[in-house]
Amino acid sequence: AQKITQTQPGMFVQEKEAVTLDCTYDTSDPSYGLFWYKQPSSGEMIFLIYQGSYDQQNATEGRYSLNFQKARKSANLVISASQLGDSAMYFCAMSALTGNTDKLIFGTGTRLQVFP
Amino acid sequence: NAGVTQTPKFRVLKTGQSMTLLCAQDMNHEYMYWYRQDPGMGLRLIHYSVGEGTTAKGEVPDGYNVSRLKKQNFLLGLESAAPSQTSVYFCASSSWTGAYEQYFGPGTRLTVT
């Protein structure tokens, strides 16, 4: 069965520092996608970054990068130069092909707090 | 271009009452999804749809029904609300299988007393 594990319930980081949020996954499918979403206190889900299982290079989007280690089944999110506005819940998710559509399976999330 | 919208934003129901949550998207997406989010948990898939007139069960479908009569709309119904259905409900849509990204609505906070 597919599963996403986020072992850090909460993380603290000082402004302008980098932080890594951990995510491990379990799947037997050779083709899958890995996603990170941000959920600020206002509640909406904001897409941050995507990594395909066949992508050779780690995905990057501005200050976000995804450290994809396929053999370890990990997909950690790295936020560089943290900002106060990065304080939020962060969810790792995996696309699981079921039937004829991909469904997202989410981890339980990590609450990141950025302090001055 | 509004993206994904959800109606209502908040609702309080009494046990046994029924209601319908409306999700609308203006991106011409084929696929639409309903998730629920409970405290301390990630989102869990309730039902999904791969196109107009089609629906399928997700991970936690019991107590809910859905309909996709129009491509742009995906309705989630609670026939007889229970306190266990107190949650935040998110609708999402995506454009194609092998989904690169699902676009989420702002959520509906439902409380069942």
Side-chain angles (χ1 to χ4, degrees), chain A residues 35 37 39 100-103 107, chain B residues 37 45 48 97-100 102:
Chain A
F35 303 76
Y37 282 85
Q39 187 178 42
N100 57 350
T101 187
D102 284 351
K103 301 185 297 184
Chain B
Q37 183 180 29
L45 184 66
Y48 64 99
T97 301
Y100 173 73
Q102 290 186 13

Side-chain angles (χ1 to χ4, degrees), chain A residues 17-53:
Chain A
E17 297 292 313
V19 63
T20 298
L21 306 183
D22 295 342
C23 173
T24 58
Y25 61 92
D26 189 20
T27 182
S28 56
D29 290 330
S31 178
Y32 50 90
L34 296 158
F35 303 76
W36 278 92
Y37 282 85
K38 173 183 179 181
Q39 187 178 42
S41 57
S42 52
E44 71 269 31
M45 296 289 288
I46 302 169
F47 167 76
L48 295 178
I49 196 166
Y50 164 82
Q51 178 86 42
S53 58

Side-chain angles (χ1 to χ4, degrees), chain B residues 6-21:
Chain B
Q6 292 182 231
T7 308
K9 289 186 170 53
F10 303 93
R11 186 71 186 267
V12 178
L13 288 179
K14 293 184 178 179
T15 298
Q17 287 185 321
S18 63
M19 77 162 294
T20 300
L21 282 66

